[in-house]
Amino acid sequence: MIIFKTHPEASIERNEYRDFYYACSFLLGESFVYISKDCLNRIEENPYLYQSKRFGIRKVIFRRFKQHYVAYSIVEEGVFILAFGHAKRLPYYFVD
């Protein structure tokens, strides 16, 4: 089993997107929650499945919400979730 650690701001981003979609429609909000969990499950199944990009960061694109993605890196302890991003934001905004 892979250990997940999540950056605090990534959790805030996910909650903001979730709340936005719930405000639009309950079913849309539920769909966003389901698909975000699906992304995390795919990472857990095989964290090396997704290509390493700049800075060793990998991205999983949401299946239904194609503008959203999970950015993560593989560390010794497991997987570190950096961001729940949106394609309209600056790329790699979460890298210090």
Side-chain angles (χ1 to χ4, degrees), residues 33-51:
V33 169
Y34 175 81
I35 292 171
S36 65
K37 287 180 183 177
D38 178 59
C39 284
L40 296 176
N41 289 336
R42 287 187 281 153
I43 293 169
E44 185 176 23
E45 286 175 15
N46 186 359
Y48 295 97
L49 181 64
Y50 302 95
Q51 185 178 10

Side-chain angles (χ1 to χ4, degrees), residues 12-57:
I12 292 169
E13 289 172 335
R14 180 182 179 198
N15 293 340
E16 286 174 352
Y17 292 133
R18 180 200 63 207
D19 293 346
F20 171 80
Y21 286 114
Y22 270 122
C24 293
S25 160
F26 177 78
L27 292 176
L28 200 55
E30 287 292 305
S31 181
F32 181 83
V33 169
Y34 175 81
I35 292 171
S36 65
K37 287 180 183 177
D38 178 59
C39 284
L40 296 176
N41 289 336
R42 287 187 281 153
I43 293 169
E44 185 176 23
E45 286 175 15
N46 186 359
Y48 295 97
L49 181 64
Y50 302 95
Q51 185 178 10
S52 180
K53 305 280 185 176
R54 291 174 46 190
F55 311 112
I57 296 170

Side-chain angles (χ1 to χ4, degrees), residues 45-96:
E45 286 175 15
N46 186 359
Y48 295 97
L49 181 64
Y50 302 95
Q51 185 178 10
S52 180
K53 305 280 185 176
R54 291 174 46 190
F55 311 112
I57 296 170
R58 299 166 189 267
K59 290 184 180 180
V60 182
I61 303 204
F62 281 36
R63 288 190 171 152
R64 179 175 175 194
F65 299 87
K66 301 264 186 230
Q67 69 274 23
H68 291 282
Y69 60 87
V70 177
Y72 70 98
S73 61
I74 299 172
V75 294
E76 288 180 22
E77 304 84 35
V79 173
F80 186 65
I81 305 295
L82 297 164
F84 282 83
H86 192 282
K88 300 271 180 173
R89 292 185 76 173
L90 296 172
Y92 301 100
Y93 68 92
F94 44 83
V95 177
D96 290 330

